[in-house]
Amino acid sequence: MTDFTAEDAESAFLEAYNMPTGMPKHEALERAARMSDALGHLPLGVSCRIALIDSAYYLSRYDLMLAPFAWARAAEEKDPEAFNDYEIHSLNWSHKWIATGLRRDPRFSLEQLEAVIGQLADRYGRLGFSVQPVHGARAELAYHVGDLTGLAEHLGKYLATESGPMADCDACVVEEQVWMLARLGRHQEAAAHGWEGLSGNTNCSTQPQGILTALLWPLLEIGDAERAAHAHTTAYRLIKDDEITSYVHEHIRFCALTGNIARGEDILRRSLHKVTAAQLPADEMSFAECASVLLQRIPADTVFEVPSVGTLTAAALLDRLSARAVELAKAFDARNGTTAWLDRVTKALEQAGYPHVELAVPSAPVAVPADEPVVFGDPVEIAEAMVTLYEQGDFVRARRMLDSLPADMDSLLPPDLAAHAGIRRMTTGLVPFDPAVFEELLTQLPRDHALRYQARMAIGLEGGLELAERCLAEAESDFTRSVAALTLAELLDDAHAHERASEMLALASSLDVPELRGRVLVEAAEHRARQQDLEGAYAGVVAAMAGELPPSARFEGFRLRLRLETVQGRVAEAMATAREFVSAFPLPEAAEARWYQVAAIQELDQEAACLSDLREAVAISRVHLSPGHTAHFCFALSGGYVQTDRFVEAAEVLEESLRLLQDGQEDLRLQVVFRLGQVCRKLGELPAAERYLREASELLPPEEVARRAFLLDALASVQGRMNKHDEATASWRAAAALWQQEGNVSEAIGSLVELASNLPDDDIVETRAAVDEAEALLPALDDPTEVTRRQAEIVAIRAWVHGQAGEFALAMKHYRDAEALVVSLGDEGWRVFVVLRAAHVLLNADDPEGAEAEARRAASLLPDDSQVGNVLSVLSEALQRQKKASGTDPLVRELTARLD
């Protein structure tokens, strides 16, 4: 006599069933199963065992699957009626899992594996299922024991056998084929087959990451680094939070073998729980092997915090994991009677790397010897040469001299040369500018040299104009007078005192200091530009650059020419100038030129066309510029990825930008988090999208009304997709109000239309209210075409509302009105959509004949293949409702062919 009832057992089962995956859930299901057995409640016992099989699968604990599977098979023989359709399907389906699980655990013998596969073949044959999974299991077993001939034989049968209801989904079949073909060395075939398989649609939880992971190795083997990078980046983003499956192991190895050690280390650190918590011996061996491949390439003293173990160096972790990989390989080989796994693990641990693969976020370039290495010699002579070269405008060679004078050598120099070196380190950005230190260093210089430096630094300083005028008045040499005059010309132009600026330029020209002639020419062109004489400025800088210019003046000439071409919208010339600019100087000087190149690319909206340039900019900035520069370049690169629909890469590079942002880059942070929110929305990463868009909303200044409205529209669409309808409604309404405040009535209507379109089907009152508000705004629109477009949207929603309310005649009238408006706009794709919505109304009104006619009309209007599937679906349902054969219908066959 039990002390619980059937209701208690059923309640215990439901409670356990709804728990999150994990051993507590599995144990709770086992308790419910024992309660059902004690009560003799066979149907509940069946439900418990099917749930236990699923639980074991998601735990990767195939050993825990055996008992409930055996119980369920015995119960099936005893009383098949105890199983509902779902449960019998699950039992048939899970039979495949048993064969997989036994193979991946050396505690089970080959005889047991072969017996389970034989039972699978018998069961599927008896029930009339496709035996494709049987051939797949035999192919996997052949590879497992090192029988490549058997693998090829069963792979052939696997590919030749049609799939069926018990076969894996099409995408999973593609994944298996890619792995098998790659194991046979048929890399070109594997790559082609797998890449083609990515085009199919699947709702499988393990795809497309499974296919993409399988593709890594054949793509690398055939040298297709670009697609290998895409496969890794896309797949890893999908699996990075999956703590159970073994796909991640391959991505650790991929990073190790493609020169992406830092990324591999990051992935490994996220996976260190697997050192002690891998569920299956095969998975443990896979992790240990792949992690060891990476650890061999990491500095031995790198420290890892391993859960349940403690602190280990890379060397110690490598010893532990490589030994474990070998130990498990030997265990499998002992079971199999071969040396296949030990050979594979040994080969993997000795494998050489592939050529470096560039990922979404470029890494720093490999260091190469500088064209002009550090200069060795007498420090005094080097310092004197540095001063002379800077004065001559050869800032490239001067920088080499400066780099050869470490600050700790200044005490060996005469005070004036030490001061020159200290000031130049500040003006070139090697050390932060410190006004107090700058003034102290000036006291060590001759008066005229001190004035020269002060004149150069006057731009950007408060009171800079007065300082430059004093420097000009007190200058002792024409060189210093020219420098002060050039500085004054820029400052006076900024103050709109253009005539006085012209006088200063004339003075500098008349002094005719040979070292400054080029700078005077470029500054004269800049002077014209500051007065908006862009054509004159452009002619001037082109003429100046046609002659001989010292490097400093040539750098400024490139900067001005690029800026003028950008402002004038000369896209081709600007991009060519930018590339010439960055190639005209060695590093680190070329790194600064990248800043101007990236700015031009962004301003001219050329990110997609200049992806390679932006990638190079990011890589170079990592070495030669600040993290803030790299953050900016990463943001620019993300624009190229977005423009080419490479949203995974965009997300990766935006996350890197966010990581590198510095204090003072608040506006860039706003741009980064807003774009990242939009990209995450595209990727379906809705919680992240909402988080980033909320952060952007908090960062956005209140006075930027239009941007805030745009942001709220984006946030609302995310909230709507997350079924946060109250929050989405508030966001769309707030956006509509802001658009009206901004005077953009069309966008306000758009916000209300989006609100009405995304409300729950049963929220007809709120939907009608939103549509009424949108319609009330139509008279405020001026553009007739825009009025028609918005009116068509509103009428179509009204038609949908009437359809939901069962007012089918009104719904059809409104859809006809909407179609007429859409026709006047010439939008055939929209017209097809409206006609199909009308067909749905007719189906709901129990008029399948009318729905068929509408579907056929929609087919005749198709402008392309984008809606073929929708038309086919409606037409097939209409025919089915009339009990008409759809397989022989000519239009159905035509649409099916177009869909394929």
Side-chain angles (χ1 to χ4, degrees), residues 287-418:
F287 172 74
E289 174 196 306
C290 293
S292 295
V293 173
L294 176 73
L295 288 164
Q296 291 173 337
R297 293 161 169 82
I298 290 177
D301 58 354
T302 304
V303 172
F304 293 89
E305 294 298 328
V306 182
S308 305
V309 175
T311 302
L312 292 178
T313 64
L317 186 56
L318 172 60
D319 287 345
R320 176 183 180 127
L321 291 178
S322 60
R324 184 59 176 157
V326 169
E327 178 185 359
L328 287 166
K330 290 179 177 178
F332 278 110
D333 286 343
R335 188 268 301 277
N336 299 337
T338 68
T339 62
W341 282 107
L342 182 58
D343 293 343
R344 288 168 189 157
V345 169
T346 301
K347 182 179 179 181
L349 295 178
E350 296 172 352
Q351 184 175 356
Y354 294 92
H356 178 59
V357 173
E358 285 285 355
L359 300 180
V361 185
S363 56
V366 178
V368 295
D371 292 337
E372 298 182 49
V374 174
V375 180
F376 296 99
D378 182 275
V380 174
E381 293 178 359
I382 293 173
E384 290 173 340
M386 180 266 295
V387 174
T388 301
L389 288 166
Y390 269 123
E391 294 296 282
Q392 292 173 348
D394 189 347
F395 75 121
V396 174
R397 289 200 295 158
R399 173 63 182 266
R400 303 298 175 267
M401 300 296 177
L402 182 61
D403 289 341
S404 303
L405 291 169
D408 58 9
M409 292 181 61
D410 285 358
S411 60
L412 304 178
L413 299 174
D416 61 330
L417 291 178

Side-chain angles (χ1 to χ4, degrees), residues 178 186-196 215 218-219 222 227:
V178 174
R186 294 157 61 178
H187 301 297
Q188 193 75 49
E189 190 179 347
H193 190 79
W195 205 259
E196 181 183 355
L215 275 169
L219 288 171
I222 66 174
R227 287 203 290 182

Side-chain angles (χ1 to χ4, degrees), residues 174 230 266 295 314 365 390 524 547 746 750:
V174 170
H230 173 78
D266 288 342
L295 288 164
Y390 269 123
S746 179

Side-chain angles (χ1 to χ4, degrees), residues 294-600:
L294 176 73
L295 288 164
Q296 291 173 337
R297 293 161 169 82
I298 290 177
D301 58 354
T302 304
V303 172
F304 293 89
E305 294 298 328
V306 182
S308 305
V309 175
T311 302
L312 292 178
T313 64
L317 186 56
L318 172 60
D319 287 345
R320 176 183 180 127
L321 291 178
S322 60
R324 184 59 176 157
V326 169
E327 178 185 359
L328 287 166
K330 290 179 177 178
F332 278 110
D333 286 343
R335 188 268 301 277
N336 299 337
T338 68
T339 62
W341 282 107
L342 182 58
D343 293 343
R344 288 168 189 157
V345 169
T346 301
K347 182 179 179 181
L349 295 178
E350 296 172 352
Q351 184 175 356
Y354 294 92
H356 178 59
V357 173
E358 285 285 355
L359 300 180
V361 185
S363 56
V366 178
V368 295
D371 292 337
E372 298 182 49
V374 174
V375 180
F376 296 99
D378 182 275
V380 174
E381 293 178 359
I382 293 173
E384 290 173 340
M386 180 266 295
V387 174
T388 301
L389 288 166
Y390 269 123
E391 294 296 282
Q392 292 173 348
D394 189 347
F395 75 121
V396 174
R397 289 200 295 158
R399 173 63 182 266
R400 303 298 175 267
M401 300 296 177
L402 182 61
D403 289 341
S404 303
L405 291 169
D408 58 9
M409 292 181 61
D410 285 358
S411 60
L412 304 178
L413 299 174
D416 61 330
L417 291 178
H420 279 296
I423 290 172
R424 287 296 180 180
R425 289 190 195 100
M426 282 192 280
T427 60
T428 56
L430 289 174
V431 298
F433 181 75
D434 186 324
V437 173
F438 177 68
E439 292 297 329
E440 176 63 27
L441 291 173
L442 289 178
T443 64
Q444 304 299 315
L445 296 174
R447 176 66 176 161
D448 194 59
H449 271 95
L451 290 170
R452 200 174 300 172
Y453 279 124
Q454 286 180 309
R456 288 190 174 111
M457 298 302 295
I459 295 173
L461 291 178
E462 186 176 351
L465 186 62
E466 293 77 12
L467 175 60
E469 286 176 336
R470 180 172 64 80
C471 291
L472 177 61
E474 298 177 8
E476 300 170 3
S477 68
D478 286 349
F479 197 117
T480 301
R481 292 187 189 92
S482 294
V483 170
L486 290 170
T487 297
L488 278 167
E490 182 172 347
L491 291 169
L492 289 165
D493 270 334
D494 291 343
H496 304 289
H498 299 304
E499 287 189 15
R500 284 198 62 205
S502 295
E503 293 172 6
M504 291 298 102
L505 282 168
L507 173 61
S509 180
S510 67
L511 293 172
D512 194 28
V513 176
E515 297 90 339
L516 297 175
R517 286 171 187 159
R519 184 177 167 195
V520 171
L521 290 173
V522 174
E523 185 61 32
E526 187 88 62
H527 173 59
R528 293 189 186 94
R530 289 194 287 263
Q531 297 177 81
Q532 300 306 306
D533 178 12
L534 302 186
E535 292 297 337
Y538 190 67
V541 73
V542 169
M545 295 186 71
E548 291 294 326
L549 292 178
S552 298
R554 183 162 294 279
F555 187 94
E556 291 303 314
F558 270 118
R559 182 193 58 76
L560 176 58
R561 193 172 97 192
L562 176 59
R563 182 63 193 149
L564 289 168
E565 289 168 345
T566 301
V567 170
Q568 293 177 299
R570 301 182 181 188
V571 175
E573 294 97 324
M575 295 302 95
T577 296
R579 292 187 179 112
E580 186 182 355
F581 191 3
V582 299
S583 64
F585 302 93
L587 291 167
E589 290 76 18
E592 185 178 349
R594 293 280 179 177
W595 178 259
Y596 300 105
Q597 179 191 35
V598 170

Side-chain angles (χ1 to χ4, degrees), residues 701-773:
E703 62 271 15
E704 296 198 36
V705 176
R707 288 179 75 186
R708 181 170 295 279
F710 185 80
L711 191 156
L712 284 171
D713 276 330
L715 177 60
S717 74
V718 171
Q719 292 167 331
R721 288 171 62 185
M722 297 174 72
N723 295 322
K724 294 183 175 182
H725 296 297
D726 290 344
E727 294 178 47
T729 297
S731 296
W732 264 312
R733 288 198 173 280
L738 289 172
W739 284 125
Q740 290 182 71
Q741 180 183 333
E742 186 69 6
N744 194 329
V745 177
S746 179
E747 288 297 340
I749 294 172
S751 297
L752 293 168
V753 165
E754 286 296 313
L755 167 59
S757 301
N758 286 274
L759 284 165
D761 291 352
D762 57 356
D763 202 345
I764 293 176
V765 173
E766 180 68 31
T767 302
R768 280 183 168 147
V771 172
D772 289 343
E773 290 176 48

